[in-house]
Amino acid sequence: MIVAQGIDAWLTTKRGLAGRSLGFVPTMGNLHAGHAALLARARQECDTVLLSVFVNPTQFDDPDDLARYPRTLEPDLALARSAGVDHVLLPTAAELYPDGYTYKVQESAVSTVLCGASRPGHFDGVLSVVMKLLQIAQLGGDPAAQRLYMGEKDWQQLTLVRGMVDAFFLPWTVVGCPTVREADGLAMSSRNSRLTAERRALAPLLAKTLREAPDADAARAALETAGFRVDYLEDRVLGAAPPGAMRRFAAAFLDEVRLIDNVALG
Ligand code: PAF
């Protein structure tokens, strides 16, 4: 596994990779089984697997959240090695934002609801950094051979990245991968480690309630009664999804830890 400390090191390395298919998994580190599943799928389907680790400051609407985000590079590299990753890209903020973030990618419909409504600027930051990473990662410009792997837990993020790839004719295939869950149903997330033991025991109720409640209002009431502070809970179709692709989306706090999840309806 080759670790590129900075963009230039990767740009030099990738000259030797012409003609190979590329599977790219962008992350903010603190890797868990959900990321391992993305890497495993990329490993199965592509000649070369690239992982990026970058805690992207522009997508944090709350400075405390950014400061608290776990930085765990050594265990992340160990997981990457065991997942068969070929290359790891570790860019710096100065390299990725030479313009000081005066240029950004903005979407004006899907990004305004759900997480976008309560986290202003969050999706501008996500789309901008993913756009930059896709430009830097790309090898040959053949969308069939450049595959971006992202998880369905962040369904809104996945929808927005798909939309951006289409809108800007980016030569990538976006592969959405199913949410990986703990045995008790809690969606894997780096935020889970911040839950107290008591809150961790309660957390699986989020997924269970989304699946089982008869409607969104009942789901919200059940979660609030159990002690969650619900940010949003909505049944809706997001983006250019096929008809009938109704999903139930929620974000809810346990203490200061914000959990998100979504399930298919019907
Ligand atoms: O899902 C994430 O970890 C981040 O939002 C991403 C896509 C790596 C962009 O920073």
Side-chain angles (χ1 to χ4, degrees), residues 102-117:
T102 53
Y103 287 85
K104 55 187 77 168
V105 180
Q106 206 165 36
E107 194 275 353
S108 58
V110 175
S111 70
T112 63
V113 300
L114 304 177
C115 285

Side-chain angles (χ1 to χ4, degrees), residues 6-7 23 43-44 46 52 56 60 64 80 83 96-97 117 122 130 170 173 211 220 222 238 241 249 252 254 258:
I7 294 172
R43 182 68 288 162
Q44 257 171 22
C46 304
S52 67
N56 175 33
F60 286 84
D64 288 346
L96 275 175
Y97 293 103
H122 168 66
V130 172
L170 302 181
T173 300
R211 270 198 314 273
R220 173 185 279 269
L238 204 59
F249 297 91
L254 280 174
R258 187 174 183 274

